[in-house]
């Protein structure tokens, strides 16, 4: 099984590909209990104008393909902390763990009032704490911040 950092680097590669294809620079993947990457997605802004966040895309596909008991043992890995919409989608899909690289607050410093990414001032920690099912959270990873920010510089 890979480390969180190795999975985060895979999510960062997806974010780079997402940006190169005309979408926002975000990437996410679902890691199964045995360490296999089961699903992945970049942001799909060019197609759906804002609701196709990478994490929501993965959570939606996971909910359609896997049983909640299985997803409880899976991990959503994402380059940037899930927004409240994505945290909710992960929660409702039944994913048991979330790993993220860059905090939503740090992203907000970059995007400001950009209408293409009006961030919420709400951490995924707050969203998951309001639920009735525990979701384990690991992040942010300060040692990866500069690498993650590379895809966001000059984008917003």
């Amino acid at each position: 099984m890979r480390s969180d950092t190795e999975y985060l680097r895979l999510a960062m590669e997806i974010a780079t590909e997402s940006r190169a294809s005309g979408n926002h620079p975000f990437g996410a993947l679902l890691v199964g209990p045995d360490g296999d990457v089961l699903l992945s997605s970049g942001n799909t802004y060019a197609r759906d104008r804002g609701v196709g966040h990478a994490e929501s895309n993965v959570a939606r596909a996971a909910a359609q393909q896997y049983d909640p008991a299985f997803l409880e043992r899976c991990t959503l890995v994402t380059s940037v902390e899930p927004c409240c919409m994505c945290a909710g989608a992960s929660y409702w899909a039944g994913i048991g763990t979330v790993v993220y690289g860059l905090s939503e607050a740090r992203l907000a410093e970059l995007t400001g009032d950009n209408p293409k990414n009006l961030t919420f001032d709400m951490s995924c920690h707050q969203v998951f704490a309001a639920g009735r099912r525990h979701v384990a959270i690991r992040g942010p990873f300060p040692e990866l911040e500069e690498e993650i920010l590379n895809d966001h510089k000059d984008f917003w």
Side-chain angles (χ1 to χ4, degrees):
M1 187 167 318
R2 297 175 179 156
S3 69
D4 285 347
T5 301
E6 291 170 309
Y7 288 118
L8 281 165
R9 284 206 166 93
L10 291 175
M12 291 160 50
E13 289 175 21
I14 297 165
T16 300
E17 293 166 8
S18 184
R19 179 177 176 164
S21 67
N23 292 291
H24 294 182
F26 300 98
L29 49 98
L30 183 72
V31 178
D34 296 326
D36 298 326
V37 175
L38 304 175
L39 299 166
S40 65
S41 180
N43 178 280
T44 52
Y45 183 86
R47 182 176 69 229
D48 52 37
R49 294 289 178 240
V51 295
H53 293 193
E55 303 90 341
S56 289
N57 292 341
V58 169
R60 186 178 311 106
Q64 293 169 349
Q65 294 179 39
Y66 300 105
D67 183 81
F70 176 76
L71 290 174
E72 177 66 30
R73 299 181 299 127
C74 292
T75 302
L76 176 76
V77 178
T78 178
S79 55
V80 177
E81 180 178 0
C83 70
C84 57
M85 176 181 74
C86 293
S90 299
Y91 177 85
W92 287 110
I95 298 168
T97 302
V98 170
V99 172
Y100 67 89
L102 184 73
S103 73
E104 178 85 356
R106 184 67 176 99
L107 176 66
E109 292 174 14
L110 289 174
T111 62
D113 290 335
N114 187 308
K116 291 185 179 180
N117 196 46
L118 294 171
T119 61
F120 275 85
D121 186 14
M122 181 179 291
S123 169
C124 74
H125 295 262
Q126 293 171 274
V127 175
F128 293 132
R132 295 179 185 237
R133 179 179 64 77
H134 175 72
V135 176
I137 308 163
R138 295 191 297 273
F141 285 71
E143 67 273 21
L144 297 178
E145 182 172 304
E146 285 307 312
E147 289 177 63
I148 295 168
L149 289 174
N150 283 336
D151 280 325
H152 294 271
K153 289 180 180 169
D154 302 322
F155 186 84
W156 305 104

